[in-house]
Amino acid sequence: EALAAVLPQIPEIVASAMSAIDPEEIDREVEEALREARPHLRRADRARVHREVRRAVAEARVRAVRGQAEAARAIAAARPQIALAMREAERARHVSMAHGADGMARGAESMERGAREMEEAARHLRSDPAYRERQIARARARGETVTHEQLIEAAGEMQEGAQGMRDGAREMREAAEQMRRGGSD
């Protein structure tokens, strides 16, 4: 009974082993299993099991070779699609980098514009008492107190801030140029 139940499963067991183990290892394991089973089998059954195992091993090897050949053919057939997908991905990366570079360049220009406006406001605060008076009146309307001296001091800080914005804009332009070159340096 046990033999009748095991014999039909031998091809599947061997095929499974073939995919996971080296063929010489399979031969060694089969020989070991047959040696261990020998005392428990009648002579006629031993021969039958031995033949079935050898047939299953040969069949599994053929299936493994066919499977490898089919896998190789499938990979070869997929190569054009893989190459196309890689080209499309590279093209999309270039487009994305170009859009990113354009956005960074626009951001740099906006920072430059902000720096110019800040410098202009700082210049007015330093040199134009009427402008400072208007700023003092606006602050008073908000419930704040500001002096001419504080506004002149703020003008110096604004000048530093404008320079920081210009430095940031320069760095953004450099990064944008690097992106346009594809991210390589």
Side-chain angles (χ1 to χ4, degrees), residues 90-159:
E90 184 64 14
R91 196 171 303 131
R93 185 182 75 80
H94 283 292
V95 167
S96 175
M97 296 284 274
H99 286 298
D102 291 345
M104 289 183 84
R106 285 190 301 275
E109 186 55 41
S110 177
M111 286 179 79
E112 284 286 348
R113 199 171 29 258
R116 284 191 301 271
E117 291 168 2
M118 194 178 286
E119 285 175 333
E120 182 66 19
R123 187 179 61 72
H124 280 296
L125 287 174
R126 274 194 307 275
S127 65
D128 186 349
Y131 183 78
R132 285 193 304 269
E133 283 297 329
R134 286 192 300 275
Q135 297 307 312
I136 290 170
R138 284 188 186 138
R140 194 176 312 121
R142 292 189 308 267
E144 300 170 1
T145 303
V146 180
T147 66
H148 281 268
E149 291 77 24
Q150 288 172 321
L151 290 174
I152 291 170
E153 187 179 316
E157 292 170 5
M158 290 172 71
Q159 189 65 44

Side-chain angles (χ1 to χ4, degrees), residues 35-110:
R35 267 194 303 282
E36 288 175 10
R38 206 168 267 131
H40 306 289
L41 296 172
R42 294 183 319 221
R43 172 169 257 177
D45 290 339
R46 276 196 304 253
R48 213 166 93 203
V49 168
H50 192 272
R51 278 192 311 274
E52 184 58 29
V53 167
R54 290 288 164 220
R55 186 191 66 70
V57 166
E59 192 176 294
R61 281 191 176 132
V62 167
R63 275 188 288 188
V65 168
R66 282 185 191 144
Q68 289 170 352
E70 287 173 18
R73 281 193 299 276
I75 290 168
R79 275 195 182 117
Q81 289 83 7
I82 292 168
L84 177 62
M86 289 175 69
R87 286 191 303 273
E88 290 297 321
E90 184 64 14
R91 196 171 303 131
R93 185 182 75 80
H94 283 292
V95 167
S96 175
M97 296 284 274
H99 286 298
D102 291 345
M104 289 183 84
R106 285 190 301 275
E109 186 55 41
S110 177

